[in-house]
Amino acid sequence: MRNKKIIAILLLLGMISPLGIDAVTEPSCITTVSAASIYEHFAYTIWLGEIQIEQYTGFEEEVTVPAVIDGLNVTRIDDYAFQSSKTLKSVILPEGLRSIGYQAFQDCKLLESVDIPDSVTEISAQAFDDTAIADSQQSGFVYVGNYVYAYKGSAYQDTELTLKDSAVGFCEGFYSTPVKTFNSVETVNIPSSMKHFSQDAIQYFSQVSEFNVSADNKYYSSKFGVLFNKDMSTLIRYPGRLKNDSYEVPEQTAVIGFSAFSDCKNLKHVTLPAQLKEIGEKAFSSTPLTEISLPSSLSNIKRLAFTDTGMSTVIIPESVKYLGYGSFAGCKNLKDVTVMNADCEIDNGQLSVAPCTISDYCPYPEAIVLYDYVDENGRLSGGIKGPTCGYSGTIHGYNGSTAQKYAKNCGYKFAEIGTDNPDDKNILYGDTDLNNIIEMNDLTTLSLFLIGDIDMNDQARLSADVTGDGIINLADLATLKQFLMKDDVHLGPVQWL
């Protein structure tokens, strides 16, 4: 990518001839950045009506990046834009800038000052590596402007982590040396100024006992030690050191964030709210969860969300439109996966339902794969050589569904929902309260579920689908009512005699 930008810039400056491009490794680069233009010493492109600084071509020691070019706001310093400048000592970035790209100022060895405006919300990994700013701070927290860039020196000794009052965020790529620097930390205090808690920082501070957010913070909040965004619509991180074996996510939470519960070794039961929309990447990975009831509001399950958990069965509700790759990889006890949405996009690499030939490169020998791209030779890209896949469970879905195609391509057992198979025989349709009796209380339970007053676990939902169409709605309520009134109706796929 860096070669692409350099070539395009040299062309614009007339320093090389297009006839010489054949000697370059990446000849397609001309069209890649053909929109690049030059303003003073800044090569830039226009993206969605905003300016991205692609490359700085000057040799000044002090640089001020313009806030506006050609009447458009400058909002991003792109990857590598100032990389390896031999003269740059200080830079002033404009108000309105939102992001600083990967290695944007890396190897600017003389850079000792940078003015970062409050509008910046993201600083990518290694943006200031090998600069005087980073190298001159030998111990403790390394700050670039008011961003926490790294931690150096001996292990952090205090049980409370306290940042300077003006700290506004952690950079992506935040790191510490040594790696286990923060093992003693139990409480993370987040000041009122903090507005960006990066994914890397979340990983470093996952095994604490509590997050304590200033009440004046406009971006974050905490409740019982759990870290949320301000309105609690996103759960950012559950403290991994908590001893509780169960947790109920607040009802206003719509998103479970990246790695929010990962590696919580004591957590066995999590109750999800009725309005939950998304479960993020690695959200529950490596937790001892044995079961979870996914609400009917859920739309997306991102990659590796439940990898290496202890679940034996899972029902993915009809509302789920997307199932990320590796969602249940490494779940060695998993026997039954039911996909209620016939058109659910199952991401297995390049295609929604890609071939996932069982091979000796499967990295999870005892689990449903749902994991990686398989090349034309049937090998999992990036997999670890090991025994052949041995998933012996069953994928349940509808005839012609994406789940059926996935199971067929992978060589897994498939059972059609609504057919008389051994798994269906264990379901007492209409028994929504799971007491093995069909009675008026089941009608009440189903009514409360339909109006959103209560939720039901996976087994109860299967029982509630009394029409056998894979959807729980008023038709199921009407059918169950008729059955209880001794009308000539049957529940589920099997005729009641």
Side-chain angles (χ1 to χ4, degrees):
M1 182 63 186
R2 178 162 166 75
N3 286 340
K4 295 177 182 179
K5 293 176 180 176
I6 293 172
I7 294 166
I9 290 163
L10 291 176
L11 277 170
L12 289 166
L13 295 175
M15 295 174 66
I16 60 174
S17 167
L19 298 176
I21 293 299
D22 291 339
V24 180
T25 305
E26 300 179 89
S28 63
C29 65
I30 303 307
T31 56
T32 302
V33 291
S34 59
S37 302
I38 298 292
Y39 174 82
E40 295 181 350
H41 294 297
F42 301 98
Y44 67 91
T45 55
I46 299 174
W47 178 253
L48 299 178
E50 298 177 340
I51 299 294
Q52 295 187 148
I53 301 297
E54 298 281 341
Q55 192 79 16
Y56 174 68
T57 61
F59 299 96
E60 290 87 353
E61 293 183 357
E62 298 179 358
V63 173
T64 298
V65 177
V68 177
I69 297 176
D70 289 344
L72 300 175
N73 294 328
V74 175
T75 60
R76 175 172 170 80
I77 305 296
D78 209 0
D79 301 347
Y80 317 110
F82 287 80
Q83 187 185 53
S84 300
S85 171
K86 303 303 182 185
T87 57
L88 187 64
K89 291 186 177 181
S90 69
V91 61
I92 298 174
L93 301 177
E95 187 64 41
L97 189 75
R98 292 199 297 271
S99 65
I100 300 173
Y102 175 74
Q103 293 188 357
F105 293 90
Q106 188 260 347
D107 197 38
C108 295
K109 296 189 182 300
L110 301 180
L111 182 61
E112 57 190 13
S113 172
V114 59
D115 188 348
I116 301 175
D118 290 341
S119 57
V120 170
T121 58
E122 180 181 2
I123 299 178
S124 298
Q126 302 177 34
F128 293 91
D129 276 12
D130 302 314
T131 64
I133 296 173
D135 294 345
S136 64
Q137 302 176 63
Q138 297 300 319
S139 62
F141 283 108
V142 176
Y143 290 90
V144 176
N146 286 320
Y147 272 83
V148 188
Y149 190 74
Y151 182 90
K152 296 180 181 179
S154 59
Y156 197 87
Q157 298 297 318
D158 294 340
T159 58
E160 290 194 21
L161 180 74
T162 302
L163 304 172
K164 69 178 185 179
D165 291 341
S166 59
V168 297
F170 283 89
C171 296
E172 297 296 340
F174 170 83
Y175 66 93
S176 74
T177 53
V179 174
K180 296 183 178 180
T181 297
F182 303 108
N183 281 2
S184 66
V185 175
E186 296 183 5
T187 300
V188 174
N189 294 312
I190 298 177
S192 60
S193 57
M194 181 70 68
K195 61 182 178 180
H196 183 66
F197 210 95
S198 70
Q199 290 185 355
D200 296 284
I202 290 171
Q203 301 266 43
Y204 269 101
F205 301 116
S206 62
Q207 297 303 310
V208 299
S209 297
E210 66 170 345
F211 294 91
N212 180 29
V213 180
S214 167
D216 295 328
N217 190 292
K218 297 179 180 179
Y219 303 93
Y220 296 103
S221 63
S222 56
K223 185 175 182 180
F224 303 124
V226 182
L227 181 63
F228 296 88
N229 67 344
K230 187 62 175 179
D231 64 3
M232 297 181 65
S233 61
T234 298
L235 192 155
I236 297 171
R237 181 64 208 185
Y238 181 90
R241 200 177 291 180
L242 286 182
K243 301 299 183 182
N244 308 43
D245 65 357
S246 63
Y247 178 70
E248 183 174 348
V249 179
E251 61 179 9
Q252 65 266 48
T253 300
V255 176
I256 304 295
F258 168 83
S259 201
F261 290 93
S262 64
D263 295 300
C264 291
K265 302 304 183 184
N266 298 313
L267 200 59
K268 297 180 179 179
H269 306 283
V270 176
T271 302
L272 301 177
Q275 70 168 21
L276 189 70
K277 301 296 183 185
E278 179 178 294
I279 295 176
E281 179 181 339
K282 299 181 182 179
F284 292 94
S285 65
S286 301
T287 61
L289 287 177
T290 55
E291 64 177 359
I292 196 162
S293 178
L294 303 176
S296 58
S297 58
L298 187 63
S299 179
N300 294 313
I301 299 176
K302 292 193 172 182
R303 63 195 294 272
L304 307 175
F306 292 96
T307 186
D308 294 315
T309 57
M311 293 185 292
S312 61
T313 182
V314 63
I315 296 177
I316 301 168
E318 196 267 343
S319 59
V320 173
K321 299 176 181 178
Y322 175 79
L323 184 63
Y325 78 81
S327 298
F328 299 95
C331 298
K332 296 183 177 181
N333 299 322
L334 192 61
K335 299 301 180 185
D336 293 283
V337 177
T338 300
V339 183
M340 302 299 291
N341 182 357
D343 299 316
C344 180
E345 180 183 353
I346 303 175
D347 184 356
N348 192 51
Q350 290 188 339
L351 302 175
S352 296
V353 187
C356 57
T357 307
I358 297 174
S359 74
D360 60 355
Y361 274 73
C362 174
Y364 294 100
E366 298 298 326
I368 182 170
V369 179
L370 287 180
Y371 187 63
D372 214 342
Y373 170 64
V374 179
D375 65 22
E376 59 185 4
N377 297 315
R379 290 186 171 183
L380 284 164
S381 173
I384 302 172
K385 188 174 178 61
T388 57
C389 283
Y391 178 63
S392 58
T394 303
I395 297 177
H396 303 259
Y398 291 103
N399 184 37
S401 66
T402 53
Q404 184 182 34
K405 294 175 185 177
Y406 178 83
K408 181 180 179 180
N409 288 336
C410 293
Y412 299 143
K413 289 189 293 185
F414 177 79
E416 184 180 348
I417 295 174
T419 59
D420 186 10
N421 61 65
D423 298 294
D424 286 332
K425 290 179 180 178
N426 295 324
I427 301 171
L428 179 58
Y429 289 95
D431 180 24
T432 60
D433 61 3
L434 302 180
N435 67 350
N436 294 316
I437 303 172
I438 302 175
E439 55 191 353
M440 288 301 297
N441 191 58
D442 296 301
L443 192 67
T444 302
T445 300
L446 181 53
S447 299
L448 293 173
F449 173 77
L450 289 172
I451 64 174
D453 278 5
I454 64 168
D455 201 357
M456 294 192 292
N457 64 24
D458 297 339
Q459 183 66 32
R461 290 187 187 191
L462 283 177
S463 299
D465 181 22
V466 296
T467 61
D469 62 357
I471 303 172
I472 303 174
N473 54 24
L474 290 175
D476 297 295
L477 188 68
T479 302
L480 181 56
K481 179 181 178 181
Q482 287 178 295
F483 177 83
L484 291 169
M485 294 175 65
K486 309 300 182 182
D487 284 356
D488 186 19
V489 296
H490 67 272
L491 305 181
V494 182
Q495 180 71 43
W496 291 87
L497 302 177

